[in-house]
Amino acid sequence: MVYQALYRAWRPQTFREVVGQDHIVRTLENMLNQGRIYHAFLFCGPRGTGKTTLAKILAKALNCQSGTRPTATPCLDCASCISIKEGSNLDVLEIDGASNRGIDEIRDLRESIKFAPNQGRFKVYIIDEVHMLTMEAFNALLKTLEEPPQHVVFIFATTEVQKLPATILSRVQRFDFRRLSHSVITDRLRQVANASTIEIEEAALSLIAQAANGGLRDALAMLDQTYSYAGAHLITPADVQEVVGLVPYAEYASLWRFLVTGNMRLALERLREILDGGKETQQ
Ligand SMILES: [Zn+2]
């Protein structure tokens, strides 16, 4: 059997499973419960904080067949929920903005929008990395956003919201994703490790969370790598340092000491040692 990466295996499937973005989850749930469906959502924020995960949950919520209208609690069992999870639903299109950034792709998209959904209530277009679109493509998209068909919902995702034209921003419902806190990430890592019978020291979990810099996807990927490296042994902070390339605090402390005492020669030597070790210095 092909091994499924932890971040995929543990990807939240419902709003309740999403961690660290409570303000967004709550707003989306209320919106669905009140039957207020916007035509364009913008999910912006740092990488690995749950933007495309929430986009797919929202798509399920809009098209779940368990009831007669959109729901904040998609059933996960109907044909629609299952095919959206698998990425094979004909009404939910995931588009990578980086590789479909031109005017022709957006024209094609505008053509396809005219047709009614196959089975769902809505055609949902998830455009990831939307900031990569060309200005021409944005202008074409804008025409659709100005007069969207009733059956279409756009969910745009981006890590660089400042690159979007103001004309687009003024026509979307914007949601700002936050970096996840250290404790939210360690809690989630601990939960995944326990359920996957991965033995890991608490200090090692903490180091991974620190290196992940607020992104849960990166944190789970690091746990995966460290687990592969350590094998069946208990994972220690040293394992994490070896795999993730974190500079131990003691090395930083000595670098700092050389700097504040004006010993530039030793400071540079220490810095070179750290960099030669290929360690991640952006902490
Ligand atoms: Zn369903």
Side-chain angles (χ1 to χ4, degrees):
M1 201 178 91
V2 176
Y3 178 72
Q4 195 179 25
L6 288 176
Y7 87 86
R8 279 194 189 282
W10 289 87
R11 196 172 200 188
Q13 298 299 325
T14 64
F15 287 117
R16 288 292 133 139
E17 289 171 15
V18 173
V19 293
Q21 309 295 352
D22 298 355
H23 59 302
I24 293 173
V25 165
R26 182 176 166 170
T27 309
L28 291 175
E29 284 179 333
N30 286 341
M31 181 205 82
L32 287 158
N33 287 331
Q34 293 161 357
R36 287 183 298 116
I37 311 299
Y38 300 107
H39 283 294
F41 296 81
L42 173 63
F43 290 174
C44 44
R47 56 182 259 122
T49 51
K51 298 184 295 296
T52 48
T53 294
L54 260 174
K56 291 194 72 164
I57 296 173
L58 178 56
K60 278 187 273 189
L62 291 169
N63 277 342
C64 178
Q65 295 165 345
S66 67
T68 53
R69 57 188 206 91
T71 171
T73 51
C75 74
L76 310 186
D77 285 327
C78 70
S80 179
C81 284
I82 290 171
S83 58
I84 291 171
K85 182 186 178 189
E86 290 171 349
S88 61
N89 189 292
L90 295 174
D91 294 322
V92 177
L93 294 109
E94 292 182 72
I95 299 161
D96 171 21
S99 47
N100 298 279
R101 58 197 304 264
I103 181 77
D104 292 339
E105 285 88 356
I106 297 298
R107 282 209 186 106
D108 290 348
L109 187 148
R110 291 185 63 201
E111 279 303 307
S112 80
I113 277 170
K114 293 175 187 162
F115 301 103
N118 279 280
Q119 288 168 332
R121 293 177 196 95
F122 297 96
K123 276 190 140 163
V124 182
Y125 291 84
I126 301 172
I127 307 186
D128 199 10
E129 306 284 356
V130 71
H131 62 272
M132 297 294 286
L133 296 190
T134 64
M135 200 44 75
E136 276 179 307
F138 273 129
N139 286 335
L141 190 59
L142 192 58
K143 288 180 189 156
T144 305
L145 290 179
E146 282 167 346
E147 290 175 33
Q150 283 302 311
H151 61 262
V152 168
V153 171
F154 286 102
I155 308 173
F156 304 127
T158 181
T159 49
E160 300 186 50
V161 69
Q162 74 282 2
K163 290 188 179 167
L164 298 190
T167 45
I168 297 281
L169 290 177
S170 66
R171 285 176 177 79
V172 298
Q173 199 68 27
R174 173 173 168 171
F175 294 83
D176 286 280
F177 285 62
R178 297 173 184 154
R179 286 186 199 283
L180 277 64
S181 71
H182 187 271
S183 67
V184 164
I185 292 183
T186 43
D187 285 351
R188 184 68 173 165
L189 286 173
R190 194 182 303 112
Q191 186 189 10
V192 170
N194 286 341
S196 313
T197 59
I198 296 172
E199 290 192 67
I200 179 165
E201 285 181 21
E202 193 63 25
L205 284 181
S206 180
L207 260 190
I208 292 177
Q210 183 193 333
N213 194 23
L216 188 55
R217 186 177 59 214
D218 286 348
L220 288 169
M222 284 185 239
L223 178 61
D224 239 335
Q225 287 172 0
T226 317
Y227 180 47
S228 303
Y229 172 78
H233 300 290
L234 174 70
I235 299 172
T236 64
D239 293 327
V240 176
Q241 272 162 7
E242 197 57 45
V243 172
V244 178
L246 287 170
V247 180
Y249 178 74
E251 287 188 38
Y252 262 124
S254 64
L255 171 62
W256 187 243
R257 200 166 52 245
F258 293 140
L259 282 174
V260 294
T261 54
N263 198 331
M264 292 313 284
R265 190 181 58 80
L266 283 177
L268 285 172
E269 257 174 36
R270 178 46 49 90
L271 182 61
R272 191 173 301 117
E273 281 168 18
I274 292 174
L275 294 177
D276 284 349
K279 306 294 188 186
E280 175 74 61
T281 50
Q282 203 177 28
Q283 290 178 52

